[in-house]
Amino acid sequence: MKNKKEIDLTISNFIGKKGSLIPLLQEIQKLEGYLPKETLRYLSQKTKIKLARIYGVATFYSMFRLKPQGKHIIRVCKGTACHVSGAEDIGKAIRKELKLGELEDTTDDGLFTVMEVACLGCCSLSPVMMVDDNTHGKLTPEKVTEFLQKYK
Amino acid sequence: MSLKIKVGMASCGLAAGARDVYQAIQKYLENSKLEADLASTACIGMCFAEPLVEIIDADNNSLTYGDIQPQEVETILNDYLEGKIHKDKVILSNIMEGSENENLKNQTRIVLRNCGRIDPESLQDYLENDGYKALEKALKEMERTQIIQEIKDSGLRGRGGAGFPTGLKWQFAYDTPGPKKYFICNADEGDPGAFMDRSVLEGDPHSIIEGMTIGAYAIGADEGYIYCRAEYPLAIKHLQKAIKDAKEAGYLGKNILGTDFNFNLHIKQGAGAFVCGEETALMASIEGERGMPRIRPPFPAQSGLWGKPTNINNVETLANVAWIILNGAQKYNKYGTEKSKGTKVFALAGKIKNSGLIEVPMGMPLKDVIYKVGGGMKTEKPFKGVQLGGPSGGCVPAELLDTIVDYDSITKTGAIMGSGGMVVMDEATCMVDVAKFFLNFTQNESCGKCTFCRVGTKRMLEILTRITEGKGTMEDLETLEELSENISQGSLCGLGQTAPNPVLTTLKYFREEYIAHIKDKRCPAGVCTALLKYEITPEKCVGCTACARVCPVEAISGEVKKPHKIDQDKCIKCGSCYDACKFDAITKS
Ligand SMILES: Cc1cc2nc3c(=O)[nH]c(=O)nc-3n(C[C@H](O)[C@H](O)[C@H](O)COP(=O)(O)O)c2cc1C
Ligand code: SF4
Ligand code: FES
């Protein structure tokens, strides 16, 4: 565990509070970048929440990642409005620019993780993607390539 | 000269580049003799024209410029100083003709009353626009039952999808005795194509807090949650600030407005699961569990969050509450139709010109929503259909555009009002592909509890995929219909029950398109890749070899400077050659 001290602090902030498992996992993911197995095991020991329950929750929600993820998260919208406005081509352009294979989602240099999401709430500017917390709209495959250069 | 300049900085504005515009104005103001207060506001709904900049002078004359690029800021403001107005850029104004003045005139804004007008991070701005007056009235002048009666009389129905009468829901929660009750705001807005909740949360967070506090007082709750999806970071930020400010000013927390009423409000962030928008799943998620729906009854009003009586309402529903309390039920139910009162916000997206948010009285014909307020089609291609209600809804074809927008009329078409997302589609959209898209969505988002929802949607998706690949049979259509029936009967929650709607409505209104895929192996819209055929027009081909070089499977042959040819057996329809050809010599059919 990289951030044991911070994790301990987070756990002690939440311990005993009702309904705290999801925010706890969110905080841990923020610290560690993802949810490593050993950290979940540690969490289970400290909180006395059964590991199976933790794992059940961690696998239910799409935001939780059990594998390491890139420094920047790219969320490509595959919602209805974006779908009819060419989201497919945007996704392809991103994958091409980052040289990602069909089943890969994180670049070899650990810089980017690409995910698909169902709607970013900016449908009026479709197609849309979100890089970390910044949303970019009215995309074209060319614009995407340009944006990604900036983050590299 | 005292000026106010406002830049629209909701996530849609930011996505269109509003931050750069804001900074450009900031820089301009530092080095110029123009004195102005620069402020940010949220989204007025005209997302198609973003970034937006509004200039208001001391006499309250307002000009809203649309589509402003950072490099234009200097010229526009210099010219403004000299009294010159870039008329072609003005979309809204109270002193002159703006291209969208008419658009706004056709709307009735109750939910969106403050959006894009006030600074969402300023409690002061909210207070200056009648903020928290309704709460004061409710706490000090009204009985709890009177508040509930007022909401009942207004005819307000839940805007989260099901359209359940809000006053009645509050009554149920009020009637259940108990020292501990909860009031929840459903801000999970998972329906792709809908973004009104985001806009209200970002643009007018205090209105939600006020609506919730009034509701909590009425039903007797002292604790509340706003369950907001994590994809909306700006909404969460504005809510956090608003809660803090409201607490400090005595509109939330202990002894609200000096009364003995307490209400504590928390924000819970979602973690990316569409089904958590379903009320019982949402509560499971707040409790820290997997967000799986529970059997009702018991209804939340009897046993909800942690087994306590709970009321849950959607963001848009709650945004109406303060307005109704302040202006009275009679004024609200003047708008709308017999069974659907008030206004409804619609999110227009897809191939429509004025994509963004609009609010109109219930009962407006779809045609007017799309052509009058929405400005009609963005593309040259004709209108084909409009998708209403997201994954639970359906596609309404051109011949039904006279349908009015209210709960019952839309349900009659086979679609649903849902949360009010309207995705407009033109002839370049394949309806089988759209049906497949939604089934893919529901199949992904099914929580897996019910067999029919879990497995049935997968089977339907497989059939639809087969059809889009030209491998479908006519029996497949019957199987689809049979599965639809079974899935809607055999599912516990709304997700499964309504999952077949996109398929059923497209089968009903666009059946010939399914048949074209099955019998003629043809996709009339030219969307389904497997059915496409790329061909080279020999007369146009100059033999530059660009196509042959990009083809990943070496399906293109020909000598330099002579027309090339595509080997159809080898072609994998990737479209690389189509994109590479500079002479329009390749056709896609
Ligand atoms: C699969 C599913 C997803 C839902 N998603 C949402 C949502 O994102 N937002 C919402 O307000 N209601 C959603 N609902 C409806 C809620 O269950 C509930 O009816 C609503 O929050 C009640 O509020 P209202 O009476 O103000 O409409 C969803 C329902 C289902 C079945
Ligand atoms: S209908 Fe689907 S989403 Fe709803 S409870 Fe059943 S399996 Fe879960
Ligand atoms: S559909 Fe892409 S942002 Fe909503």
Side-chain angles (χ1 to χ4, degrees), chain B residues 377-555:
Chain B
M377 302 299 287
K378 180 164 72 178
T379 55
E380 306 271 294
K381 300 208 167 75
F383 173 91
K384 184 166 182 180
V386 52
Q387 214 285 339
L388 301 178
S392 309
C395 290
V396 178
E399 59 270 25
L400 291 183
L401 277 182
D402 286 326
T403 310
I404 58 167
V405 289
D406 73 7
Y407 289 98
D408 309 289
S409 312
I410 294 183
T411 307
K412 258 187 228 141
T413 67
I416 59 162
M417 174 87 91
S419 47
M422 286 195 184
V423 181
V424 174
M425 299 168 179
D426 64 7
E427 291 289 346
T429 317
C430 168
M431 289 301 173
V432 187
D433 176 68
V434 169
K436 185 179 88 175
F437 166 82
F438 280 114
L439 258 291
N440 185 33
F441 179 85
T442 36
Q443 187 260 322
N444 261 324
E445 297 294 341
S446 165
C447 82
K449 194 168 186 162
C450 319
T451 318
F452 274 102
C453 172
R454 183 182 70 241
V455 187
T457 51
K458 191 155 177 85
R459 290 293 95 83
M460 284 180 83
L461 176 62
E462 283 163 5
I463 296 176
L464 289 166
T465 307
R466 218 156 56 216
I467 296 177
T468 55
E469 286 171 350
K471 297 176 193 151
T473 63
M474 289 304 282
E475 289 83 71
D476 279 342
L477 299 187
E478 281 160 40
T479 317
L480 278 178
E481 275 158 343
E482 197 187 321
L483 272 171
S484 295
E485 175 71 24
N486 294 339
I487 293 171
S488 54
Q489 297 285 326
S491 294
L492 174 64
C493 86
L495 190 147
Q497 287 160 3
T498 58
N501 284 352
V503 178
L504 290 175
T505 49
T506 45
L507 269 174
K508 184 164 162 196
Y509 300 120
F510 303 94
R511 204 177 186 90
E512 65 297 347
E513 211 167 325
Y514 280 83
I515 296 175
H517 283 75
I518 295 172
K519 285 197 170 154
D520 314 338
K521 312 283 174 224
R522 192 171 61 82
C523 173
V527 171
C528 298
T529 343
L531 300 178
L532 288 181
K533 194 169 173 193
Y534 288 94
E535 279 174 306
I536 298 178
T537 318
E539 294 77 39
K540 284 193 180 166
C541 178
V542 298
C544 73
T545 75
C547 56
R549 275 180 278 136
V550 296
C551 179
V553 291
E554 298 183 1

Side-chain angles (χ1 to χ4, degrees), chain A residues 14 18-23 26 30 53 55-64 75 77-86 92 116-126 128-130 132-138 147 150, chain B residues 11-12 14-16 19 47-48 50 182 191-195 198 223 225 227 229-233 268-273 275-276 285-292 306 348-351 355-356 423 425 429 433 437-438 441 447:
Chain A
F14 279 102
K18 50 186 185 177
S20 58
L21 181 54
I22 293 172
Q26 280 166 335
K30 240 185 247 161
R53 207 189 123 205
Y55 188 73
V57 168
T59 49
F60 185 84
Y61 296 97
S62 63
M63 289 230 149
F64 294 128
R75 295 173 216 276
C77 179
K78 287 285 169 83
T80 325
C82 292
H83 180 76
V84 302
S85 309
K92 271 192 204 153
E116 288 174 2
V117 292
C119 178
L120 291 167
C122 287
C123 324
S124 45
L125 301 172
S126 58
V128 176
M129 71 171 176
M130 194 164 165
D132 302 328
D133 272 354
N134 298 316
T135 316
H136 303 282
K138 294 187 186 169
F147 274 129
K150 269 194 243 165
Chain B
S11 2
C12 41
L14 293 175
R19 185 165 285 127
C47 311
F48 59 94
E50 258 161 336
Y182 291 100
D191 175 4
F195 48 97
R198 171 186 67 71
E223 197 170 357
Y225 286 91
Y227 187 92
R229 67 197 296 245
E231 287 87 345
Y232 290 175
K268 273 272 171 178
Q269 266 190 49
V275 70
C276 286
S285 180
I286 295 182
E287 291 168 9
E289 304 288 337
R290 289 163 69 94
M292 287 162 103
W306 285 296
L348 307 180
K351 308 287 174 70
S355 57
V423 181
M425 299 168 179
T429 317
D433 176 68
F437 166 82
F438 280 114
F441 179 85
C447 82

Side-chain angles (χ1 to χ4, degrees), chain B residues 171-383:
Chain B
Q171 182 74 53
F172 291 149
Y174 173 86
D175 287 342
T176 314
K180 182 80 190 173
K181 295 182 193 176
Y182 291 100
F183 199 103
I184 299 178
C185 167
N186 187 342
D188 199 41
E189 196 166 65
D191 175 4
F195 48 97
M196 56 285 287
D197 293 355
R198 171 186 67 71
S199 192
V200 176
L201 294 169
E202 284 179 358
D204 197 12
H206 284 287
S207 73
I208 302 304
I209 296 174
E210 187 173 5
M212 285 184 82
T213 313
I214 295 172
Y217 173 70
I219 69 161
D222 67 350
E223 197 170 357
Y225 286 91
I226 301 176
Y227 187 92
C228 186
R229 67 197 296 245
E231 287 87 345
Y232 290 175
L234 192 63
I236 293 174
K237 187 176 153 221
H238 287 181
L239 277 173
Q240 280 164 340
K241 169 118 196 332
I243 290 179
K244 186 170 158 275
D245 291 349
K247 223 174 182 167
E248 280 168 13
Y251 300 112
L252 257 187
K254 271 213 149 66
N255 299 112
I256 293 174
L257 292 170
T259 65
D260 57 5
F261 170 59
N262 307 325
F263 184 53
N264 259 318
L265 191 51
H266 320 277
I267 300 173
K268 273 272 171 178
Q269 266 190 49
F274 170 70
V275 70
C276 286
E278 198 279 337
E279 54 193 32
T280 58
L282 185 148
M283 289 176 213
S285 180
I286 295 182
E287 291 168 9
E289 304 288 337
R290 289 163 69 94
M292 287 162 103
R294 297 166 182 167
I295 292 175
R296 294 174 304 182
F299 287 94
Q302 282 95 44
S303 168
L305 191 59
W306 285 296
K308 299 282 184 281
T310 303
N311 182 79
I312 176 164
N313 281 120
N314 160 266
V315 172
E316 189 186 333
T317 315
L318 291 167
N320 282 299
V321 167
W323 193 96
I324 294 171
I325 295 298
L326 200 60
N327 295 282
Q330 303 315 324
K331 208 163 161 195
Y332 187 81
N333 66 24
K334 233 178 51 209
Y335 299 110
T337 60
E338 196 200 333
K339 288 190 180 145
S340 306
K341 297 294 182 197
T343 58
K344 176 80 194 90
V345 181
F346 290 99
L348 307 180
K351 308 287 174 70
I352 192 163
K353 210 159 123 230
N354 300 349
S355 57
L357 284 183
I358 59 152
E359 183 173 354
V360 295
M362 296 266 195
M364 187 181 265
L366 262 179
K367 200 171 56 199
D368 289 353
V369 174
I370 292 170
Y371 286 95
K372 242 170 130 177
V373 191
M377 302 299 287
K378 180 164 72 178
T379 55
E380 306 271 294
K381 300 208 167 75
F383 173 91

